Amino acid sequence: MEKKKPWAGRFKKGLHPLVERFTASIEFDKRLFKEDIKGSIAQARMLERAGILTKKERVELERALKEIEKEIETGSLQFGTDTEDIHMAIERRLIEKIGPLGGKLHTGRSRNDQVALDLRLYVKRETLEILHLIRKLQRSLYGVAKDNIDVIMPGYTHLQRAQAVPLAHHLLAYYEMLKRDSQRLKDCLKRVDIMPLGSGALAGTGFDVDRAHGAELLGFSAVTENSMDAVSDRDFVVEFISHCAVVMMHLSRLCEEIVLWTSKEFGFVELDDSFATGSSLMPQKKNPDVAELIRGKTGRVYGNLVAILTVMKALPLTYNRDMQEDKEPLFDTVDTVKGSLSVLAPMLETMKINRETIWEATCGGFLTATDVADYLVLKGVPFREAHHIAGSIVASCIEKGKELTELTLQEWRSFSPLFEEDIKEAVSVEGSVKRRKARGAASIKEVRRQLKRVERELKKDII
Ligand code: ARG
């Protein structure tokens, strides 16, 4: 049987079933039930303070709300689309359970400040979870870096072999990206952490509610200052999704490298069997589907960012029903980022590093050509000229089918009399990496220093 809407007073007819289905958000906003109950309990306490509810009434409301929370948790309370959204579903159940007293809870409140509150509570909770998952992934990166501190690999620019670098240095670059991601999310939290309840539909309320008390009950550090802004602001959703989009961008870059590194062409790493998939046709295949999916899912999150920006564009103040469209992009972003972070960490921890193959790749391809130029610079040759000489040495090696390490001193000298016996050490991969002194450079010594700092950072509180 169709139940009457709480707002049905001025209507003569019920909703057309198509409209009912079209406008309902319960299917997806039911995920806010915990936030909604928490907010309603705070609302009841604010109303008690304002003298709208007696203590006895407030206690009864609170008890019933907690029961409803259990009912939803255990699945004994189900929602049909005629309930419209989670806020109305809970209120309806409340009135069903305790009668007219349930109808007092919405005094001075609108679904507009209610939904803004629920969303802020939700984003706060999920941000914390994401911060924990980022930390976990950082730990995995640290672990793989530390365990392979002695592995030197080719560093790339333009995906062409450029200079030899420690694998740990390469991995710790992702640690830095994730560190900035955490900083951004924490900064965003400052703006999420503001309580909108008490803003009513748009104009606030005439009831004497102590909003600061509500903020304290709900764990917010401040209350919103303008009721119209409070109910129409979704900046915090835009900001949150945009930071998540950057997280995904970083993960997609790491995943792209894993896709490359697991290919036969690179062969640098091998995924654990439990993190790779086979082909239904080609028996030999071992595919990096997880990495590819994370790369692909990055597109979803970018899409969600554009979706929320587009929903909010040019909306007049204050609340408009368009804003109900904020939820699916937000929820999808949370699920995608959490899922990606969760699966990536153990995948990294279990992958096998093929030291031999990496070493072979590092020994070929003139990765120490820059060191030849630097060698001459130390003997007083201007860098431009040194670069030119080094270039012609590389060209001649390519012609002869030789690596730099295979040249005799006589051959070196035919390019410049400044070359001496120590050029051999200078063009070795180990020598090249060891010589780097600048802070943050790709040397084992600098990597050790980074690892120490990272270790300290990983011990710090998340917030
Ligand atoms: N389900 C709505 C939303 O998510 C709740 C607010 C509805 N407010 C209204 N005035 N119709 O945006």
Side-chain angles (χ1 to χ4, degrees):
M1 198 197 66
E2 215 233 309
K3 293 179 200 157
K4 270 217 159 352
K5 303 281 182 211
W7 42 254
R10 59 102 66 222
F11 289 83
K12 294 201 178 68
K13 268 168 123 181
L15 273 184
H16 189 292
L18 279 174
V19 175
E20 187 149 275
R21 213 169 321 134
F22 188 71
T23 53
S25 54
I26 187 75
E27 255 325 297
F28 49 87
D29 68 16
K30 62 185 174 200
R31 106 155 52 188
L32 295 172
F33 79 93
K34 274 185 184 294
E35 284 73 21
D36 205 71
I37 300 265
K38 203 173 160 191
S40 287
I41 290 174
Q43 162 77 358
R45 292 192 182 185
M46 279 160 71
L47 290 178
E48 181 191 357
R49 273 214 175 180
I52 312 289
L53 293 176
T54 64
K55 176 161 189 221
K56 191 167 161 285
E57 286 175 322
R58 193 267 301 161
V59 170
E60 196 178 343
L61 273 169
E62 207 167 309
R63 186 187 43 75
L65 283 165
K66 284 184 179 147
E67 277 173 23
I68 296 172
E69 186 175 20
K70 279 266 139 32
E71 290 171 8
I72 303 176
E73 253 165 10
T74 57
S76 71
L77 178 59
Q78 301 279 337
F79 311 109
T81 52
D82 66 322
T83 19
E84 202 173 315
D85 59 25
I86 187 65
H87 325 294
M88 284 185 11
I90 290 174
E91 183 179 302
R92 175 190 283 179
R93 180 72 186 128
L94 193 62
I95 294 170
E96 230 171 64
K97 280 171 89 81
I98 59 173
L101 169 60
K104 286 194 175 184
L105 181 64
H106 213 51
T107 312
R109 183 175 74 169
S110 151
R111 275 184 295 155
N112 300 351
D113 57 348
Q114 191 176 358
V115 72
L117 173 69
D118 291 4
L119 274 190
R120 284 177 182 270
L121 285 169
Y122 174 80
V123 172
K124 270 180 77 172
R125 170 161 67 90
E126 293 297 351
T127 301
L128 274 183
E129 289 206 15
I130 291 172
L131 287 171
H132 274 104
L133 290 171
I134 291 178
R135 175 65 68 88
K136 252 194 177 156
L137 179 58
Q138 286 180 309
R139 249 191 216 113
S140 309
L141 287 163
Y142 165 81
V144 181
K146 195 171 175 198
D147 292 346
N148 295 282
I149 180 117
D150 54 329
V151 175
I152 311 287
M153 68 179 290
Y156 295 81
T157 63
H158 313 269
L159 204 56
Q160 307 285 322
R161 287 183 198 169
Q163 290 181 297
V165 296
L167 169 68
H169 196 61
H170 192 132
L171 293 174
L172 289 177
Y174 286 100
Y175 171 89
E176 295 297 320
M177 294 176 221
L178 292 167
K179 182 172 153 183
R180 293 194 294 276
D181 290 335
S182 295
Q183 288 167 346
R184 269 186 285 270
L185 283 165
K186 277 190 248 179
D187 189 66
C188 169
L189 217 39
K190 289 185 213 151
R191 286 171 293 283
V192 182
D193 193 19
I194 301 175
M195 212 258 334
L197 192 63
S199 301
L202 74 159
T205 170
F207 298 105
D208 188 18
V209 287
D210 182 352
R211 298 187 59 219
H213 178 58
E216 207 183 302
L217 292 172
L218 291 165
F220 282 96
S221 26
V223 298
T224 51
E225 296 287 354
N226 180 311
S227 63
M228 294 179 79
D229 178 47
V231 295
S232 40
D233 170 29
R234 293 293 182 274
D235 295 6
F236 65 97
V237 179
V238 173
E239 234 187 291
F240 172 79
I241 298 181
S242 109
H243 298 332
C244 287
V246 180
V247 172
M248 289 305 293
M249 175 188 75
H250 290 148
L251 301 193
S252 78
R253 296 182 74 175
L254 178 53
C255 285
E256 170 66 12
E257 305 216 88
I258 290 171
V259 171
L260 287 170
W261 292 354
T262 52
S263 71
K264 191 83 192 143
E265 284 67 18
F266 277 78
F268 288 0
V269 299
E270 186 184 341
L271 294 175
D272 189 76
D273 278 1
S274 56
F275 283 90
T277 46
S279 154
S280 55
L281 190 144
M282 299 162 283
Q284 85 284 11
K285 291 299 288 290
K286 184 168 179 185
N287 296 328
D289 290 28
V290 171
E292 291 170 307
L293 270 171
I294 294 175
R295 198 173 59 180
K297 283 173 189 286
T298 303
R300 290 173 78 106
V301 177
Y302 289 6
N304 292 337
L305 177 59
V306 174
I308 182 69
L309 282 168
T310 314
V311 165
M312 296 309 294
K313 175 182 179 292
L315 282 188
L317 295 185
T318 51
Y319 178 84
N320 302 270
R321 192 63 178 263
D322 313 43
M323 288 160 72
Q324 181 167 289
E325 290 291 309
D326 58 3
K327 282 166 211 65
E328 285 157 298
L330 172 63
F331 296 160
D332 184 71
T333 297
V334 166
D335 293 343
T336 307
V337 171
K338 281 168 72 179
S340 303
L341 286 166
S342 305
V343 70
L344 191 49
M347 186 168 87
L348 291 181
E349 282 165 23
T350 53
M351 76 188 181
K352 184 174 158 269
I353 310 286
N354 293 332
R355 291 167 165 252
E356 276 296 300
T357 318
I358 296 178
W359 179 244
E360 272 162 35
T362 314
C363 291
F366 310 105
L367 289 171
T368 55
T370 311
D371 300 272
V372 176
D374 290 352
Y375 180 96
L376 292 172
V377 165
L378 285 176
K379 307 233 162 176
V381 182
F383 180 74
R384 267 299 139 237
E385 199 181 314
H387 183 283
H388 191 80
I389 297 171
S392 57
I393 297 173
V394 168
S396 126
C397 279
I398 293 172
E399 215 167 90
K400 293 184 200 147
K402 276 189 169 184
E403 290 295 336
L404 290 171
T405 43
E406 291 165 348
L407 294 179
T408 63
L409 186 57
Q410 211 178 353
E411 285 172 305
W412 282 110
R413 289 235 165 121
S414 67
F415 294 99
S416 163
L418 294 169
F419 285 119
E420 289 174 61
E421 196 56 39
D422 58 354
I423 182 61
K424 304 230 166 117
E425 200 272 337
V427 294
S428 72
V429 164
E430 297 90 334
S432 164
V433 170
K434 206 192 284 162
R435 241 185 338 274
R436 297 186 187 127
K437 301 234 165 43
R439 192 180 170 124
S443 70
I444 306 276
K445 196 164 161 241
E446 269 303 296
V447 168
R448 281 195 205 287
R449 201 183 52 76
Q450 283 184 66
L451 283 170
K452 276 215 187 81
R453 175 181 49 82
V454 166
E455 204 173 305
R456 276 198 307 277
E457 288 175 359
L458 289 174
K459 281 195 193 121
K460 284 192 193 147
D461 291 339
I462 296 253
I463 282 279

